[in-house]
Amino acid sequence: MSERTKLSEEQRLDWLRLIRSDNIGPRTFHDLVKYYGGVRAALAALPGLARRGGSARPLRIFSREQAEAELKVARAAGVEFFTLGEPEYPSRLQMIDDPPPVIAVRGKPEALARPLVAIVGSRNASAAGVKFAERMAGDLGDAGFVVVSGLARGIDAAAHRASLATGTIAVLAGGHDRIYPAEHISLLEKLLVEGAAVSEMPFAWEPRAHDFPRRNRIISGLSVGVIVVEAARRSGSLITARLAGEQGREVFAVPGSPLDPRNEGTNGLLKQGAIPVTEAADVIAAIEPILGRSPNLPSAQEPQQEMPGLIGSPEPEPGADERVRITTLLGPTPVSIDDLVRLSRASPTSVRTVLLELDIAGRLERHGAGLVSLL
Amino acid sequence: MSERTKLSEEQRLDWLRLIRSDNIGPRTFHDLVKYYGGVRAALAALPGLARRGGSARPLRIFSREQAEAELKVARAAGVEFFTLGEPEYPSRLQMIDDPPPVIAVRGKPEALARPLVAIVGSRNASAAGVKFAERMAGDLGDAGFVVVSGLARGIDAAAHRASLATGTIAVLAGGHDRIYPAEHISLLEKLLVEGAAVSEMPFAWEPRAHDFPRRNRIISGLSVGVIVVEAARRSGSLITARLAGEQGREVFAVPGSPLDPRNEGTNGLLKQGAIPVTEAADVIAAIEPILGRSPNLPSAQEPQQEMPGLIGSPEPEPGADERVRITTLLGPTPVSIDDLVRLSRASPTSVRTVLLELDIAGRLERHGAGLVSLL
């Protein structure tokens, strides 16, 4: 396990600047840091990368002043910032493929260090579904678990409400000052007493539709397992369940009558091998052996000092010929990175560099399974 | 696969006499036939076996006249008798551990040769459960399956009713003239048009509580799989599901809300690995690959001719000493047959013979897993 120490304020500002800059998502953030050996070096390399990637307009890099302002405003609202690798950063979230480099936490950050289980489900839940979610959340809370959910109407709200006293975590799709739905602002304030609200988005970020699936990876990523209570076909809860499966977390589904379409998703999960649960004991029996093991953290995180060249020294840049050969192969149809290497006869490093440049220039779309296309 | 031919009327009478004699259940029937090499030889050996086993009163052997009378009365009511190994005897039922040596079938015996799926469940079913059972039975019927059930109130009756036109089988716990519950006599008459009623019990046998679990092994034994729709804890449907599992048949369970105790059994089955089903397509997908394979029948059945000594010639009988040593070891506490052999220092054959004698004398209880005790 890596040693986990606090960043200096300077370092924290750098992290925030990099993740808040244009076209930098968690994946690109980690690629850049790996490539340049540190956050500061990555920040310095951004303009050149964007230019070589063919960015239409200069890349907007989040300034030091903007970062300071965000920290100041957020802290005034009781929000703390934790970066990947810091002691307060939740250890399971650290293990997912694309962990948020920085999370903003309001409430009791200690709650994040306790064993977390997510409960999610339909917004238009049935009375029975709501009752079940309350019972499950209450029993898990009594058993010492903290309940994670998404503050949505229906199942999410029921799960939070029933675990206010024992601790519950709301993961937000927007900034801490943009609570959705607004009717749950008072629920959120209540849950901050023993629990916390978590967001990877900037202050003042209004959540849009595609921020919710992105947020869902944090709900599952924080948790040992995800319990789905009522979910129609193609619902957001099924996305959370899929992400949980991809992250190697337990997926639990509550059986329901096939005659109610709100159970189509949950029963479908059961058919795919989710663990059926009817009471908290089922969940506890499945996750207790997992909690016994310490999470298998990656062995090295961001170094505490900027040490360019130590982790991954930037290779000589691709030549103009290579760059042309690689970009010519790209188009709107997704191709695999392996094929790009083979067909371009460029080195894998050159291909990765060109892709990183295009990514930062906002011209690349990354699909699953190593597939990329031009935007 | 064994060649399957019809018995002569003489042979059929012998089979009926042996299985209808006192203390002869299916297991003892098969043990005897194996030991004596044929049904007639087993019949002849019965009085001696019972005497040596210490029967309190002379063993009542079903007489030739009684057998003729049963055949006559039953046939007048449209009942046909099929013995294990005959072409009409259902091939899957033949594969279970303790198949009924003789089954009495009313209606269309041809229905038994089609692919059979059982639907069972609560007597006090919910409206949703009844509706689901009807839909499932109707859809399976339309897909060419014959629905097997137990003629009980609730789920069973719903399954039969919805598959009257496509064929449905009722397995009875009593004789063909002792329909339980009586309110389902007209349902039974209707299902005989395209389907059949099956019983292993004698004509005029009034079903008692413990005949129902025994009957359940035939419901599952006939079927490729058993679908359980609503079942409370400790319900008869769970017995059928357990037997189905032991017989290597597919066990399907319909998910239901954990808040309704009628789903406790079915959700419990899901936790134990039953296949969740919400529509007929789920069942068909699971059993189609099985139907593709021909059932793996035992290679030899009862020989068509009586051939004592060919299959298993009776060994020299145990000596008086051995007999005493073996019976002394037995008491009301179940012991394993292996332990009996070891502790008595008798041959396994002697132990088996003494146990068979005690069994026929009505003094032995056989538990699962090779355990026996004295009654």
Side-chain angles (χ1 to χ4, degrees), chain B residues 25-65:
Chain B
R27 179 156 313 179
T28 313
F29 183 102
H30 301 302
D31 283 353
L32 283 169
V33 169
K34 199 169 152 202
Y35 196 76
Y36 289 98
V39 171
R40 179 151 290 187
L43 272 171
L46 276 187
L49 281 167
R51 201 169 46 245
R52 285 194 297 279
S55 183
R57 49 188 174 75
L59 189 78
R60 277 182 310 187
I61 296 175
F62 205 63
S63 70
R64 189 187 160 92
E65 292 68 34

Side-chain angles (χ1 to χ4, degrees), chain B:
Chain B
M1 238 203 263
S2 63
E3 222 175 308
R4 302 170 79 186
T5 39
K6 297 289 285 181
L7 294 196
S8 69
E9 186 72 0
E10 278 304 303
Q11 288 173 316
R12 193 179 315 278
L13 285 167
D14 284 346
W15 280 63
L16 202 60
R17 288 186 62 199
L18 185 56
I19 188 61
R20 296 285 191 253
S21 291
D22 267 9
N23 302 333
I24 310 286
R27 179 156 313 179
T28 313
F29 183 102
H30 301 302
D31 283 353
L32 283 169
V33 169
K34 199 169 152 202
Y35 196 76
Y36 289 98
V39 171
R40 179 151 290 187
L43 272 171
L46 276 187
L49 281 167
R51 201 169 46 245
R52 285 194 297 279
S55 183
R57 49 188 174 75
L59 189 78
R60 277 182 310 187
I61 296 175
F62 205 63
S63 70
R64 189 187 160 92
E65 292 68 34
Q66 287 176 296
E68 282 174 333
E70 180 175 342
L71 286 187
K72 193 174 166 197
V73 174
R75 282 171 176 165
V79 172
E80 294 180 79
F81 290 79
F82 303 119
T83 61
L84 189 67
E86 286 196 301
E88 297 88 347
Y89 193 96
S91 55
R92 276 178 209 281
L93 187 59
Q94 199 158 338
M95 299 157 67
I96 72 173
D97 260 356
D98 45 359
V102 180
I103 54 169
V105 179
R106 215 179 137 213
K108 270 200 168 155
E110 311 89 272
L112 289 164
R114 291 169 53 199
L116 309 179
V117 177
I119 300 180
V120 299
S122 304
R123 286 188 297 275
N124 66 334
S126 72
V130 166
K131 191 172 163 191
F132 182 89
E134 286 171 353
R135 184 191 292 178
M136 178 61 82
D139 290 348
L140 286 175
D142 290 341
F145 294 89
V146 171
V147 172
V148 181
S149 198
L151 203 70
R153 298 186 183 99
I155 299 297
D156 286 24
H160 287 306
R161 277 202 189 93
S163 55
L164 285 175
T166 48
T168 181
I169 310 275
V171 185
L172 311 174
H176 276 284
D177 54 346
R178 293 291 186 275
I179 301 308
Y180 179 87
E183 70 200 68
H184 286 167
I185 289 177
S186 78
L187 174 59
L188 184 84
E189 294 298 328
K190 279 182 207 141
L191 71 76
L192 295 176
V193 178
E194 293 299 329
V198 175
S199 172
E200 67 172 328
M201 304 312 282
F203 233 68
W205 185 272
E206 197 70 56
R208 296 155 305 170
H210 68 259
D211 293 324
F212 289 89
R214 177 178 171 171
R215 179 275 312 266
N216 291 353
R217 90 187 193 288
I218 303 181
I219 292 181
S220 54
L222 285 168
S223 309
V224 190
V226 173
I227 304 165
V228 187
V229 186
E230 288 189 354
R233 213 163 16 164
R234 305 173 161 282
S235 62
S237 307
L238 293 187
I239 297 176
T240 312
R242 180 176 53 76
L243 294 168
E246 288 171 6
Q247 293 165 352
R249 309 304 158 89
E250 300 300 318
V251 179
F252 302 101
V254 181
S257 166
L259 300 184
D260 189 332
R262 284 174 290 208
N263 298 324
E264 224 172 297
T266 32
N267 288 341
L269 288 174
L270 292 178
K271 292 181 194 174
Q272 289 159 42
I275 302 172
V277 291
T278 59
E279 53 184 357
D282 298 328
V283 176
I284 294 167
I287 65 184
E288 260 186 345
I290 302 168
L291 292 172
R293 298 194 297 269
S294 45
N296 184 20
L297 291 175
S299 58
Q301 297 295 332
E302 159 79 347
Q304 294 312 310
Q305 305 298 321
E306 298 285 317
M307 289 180 288
L310 190 75
I311 287 192
S313 170
E315 306 270 329
E317 290 187 2
D321 273 15
E322 273 191 322
R323 202 182 296 278
V324 169
R325 285 207 307 276
I326 295 165
T327 45
T328 308
L329 288 168
L330 283 163
T333 308
V335 291
S336 81
I337 296 175
D338 287 348
D339 281 348
L340 282 179
V341 172
R342 189 169 53 79
L343 296 171
S344 67
R345 285 161 294 122
S347 72
T349 309
S350 295
V351 170
R352 273 203 307 274
T353 306
V354 170
L355 293 179
L356 197 53
E357 292 166 358
L358 291 168
D359 198 357
I360 287 164
R363 294 178 55 203
L364 194 77
E365 184 168 5
R366 291 183 190 267
H367 310 265
L371 296 175
V372 291
S373 65
L374 278 191
L375 282 171

Side-chain angles (χ1 to χ4, degrees), chain A residues 55-332:
Chain A
S55 183
R57 49 185 174 77
L59 189 78
R60 276 182 311 186
I61 297 174
F62 204 63
S63 69
R64 189 188 159 92
E65 293 67 36
Q66 286 176 297
E68 281 174 335
E70 181 176 341
L71 286 186
K72 194 176 165 193
V73 174
R75 282 171 177 166
V79 173
E80 293 180 78
F81 290 80
F82 303 118
T83 61
L84 189 69
E86 285 196 300
E88 296 88 348
Y89 193 97
S91 54
R92 278 179 207 281
L93 187 59
Q94 200 158 339
M95 299 156 67
I96 71 174
D97 260 356
D98 45 0
V102 180
I103 55 169
V105 178
R106 215 180 137 211
K108 271 200 168 155
E110 311 89 90
L112 289 164
R114 291 169 51 198
L116 309 180
V117 176
I119 300 180
V120 298
S122 304
R123 285 188 298 274
N124 66 334
S126 72
V130 166
K131 191 173 164 189
F132 181 90
E134 286 172 351
R135 185 191 291 179
M136 178 61 84
D139 290 349
L140 286 175
D142 291 342
F145 293 89
V146 171
V147 172
V148 181
S149 197
L151 203 70
R153 297 186 184 98
I155 300 297
D156 286 23
H160 287 306
R161 276 201 190 94
S163 55
L164 286 175
T166 49
T168 181
I169 309 276
V171 184
L172 311 174
H176 277 284
D177 53 347
R178 292 291 186 275
I179 301 308
Y180 179 86
E183 69 199 68
H184 285 168
I185 289 177
S186 77
L187 174 60
L188 184 85
E189 294 298 329
K190 280 183 207 141
L191 71 77
L192 296 176
V193 178
E194 292 300 327
V198 174
S199 172
E200 67 172 329
M201 304 311 280
F203 234 67
W205 185 272
E206 197 72 54
R208 298 153 306 171
H210 69 259
D211 293 324
F212 290 89
R214 178 179 170 171
R215 180 274 313 263
N216 291 352
R217 90 187 194 289
I218 303 181
I219 292 181
S220 54
L222 284 169
S223 308
V224 190
V226 173
I227 304 164
V228 187
V229 186
E230 288 190 355
R233 213 161 17 163
R234 305 173 162 281
S235 62
S237 307
L238 293 186
I239 296 176
T240 312
R242 180 174 55 74
L243 294 168
E246 289 171 7
Q247 293 166 351
R249 309 303 158 90
E250 300 300 318
V251 180
F252 303 100
V254 181
S257 167
L259 300 183
D260 189 333
R262 282 175 290 207
N263 298 323
E264 225 172 295
T266 33
N267 288 339
L269 289 173
L270 291 178
K271 292 180 195 175
Q272 290 160 41
I275 302 172
V277 290
T278 59
E279 53 185 357
D282 298 328
V283 177
I284 295 168
I287 64 182
E288 260 186 345
I290 302 168
L291 291 173
R293 297 194 298 270
S294 46
N296 185 20
L297 292 174
S299 59
Q301 298 296 330
E302 158 80 347
Q304 294 312 310
Q305 305 298 320
E306 299 285 315
M307 288 180 287
L310 191 77
I311 289 192
S313 170
E315 306 270 329
E317 291 186 2
D321 273 16
E322 272 191 323
R323 203 183 295 279
V324 170
R325 284 208 307 277
I326 295 165
T327 45
T328 308
L329 289 167
L330 283 163

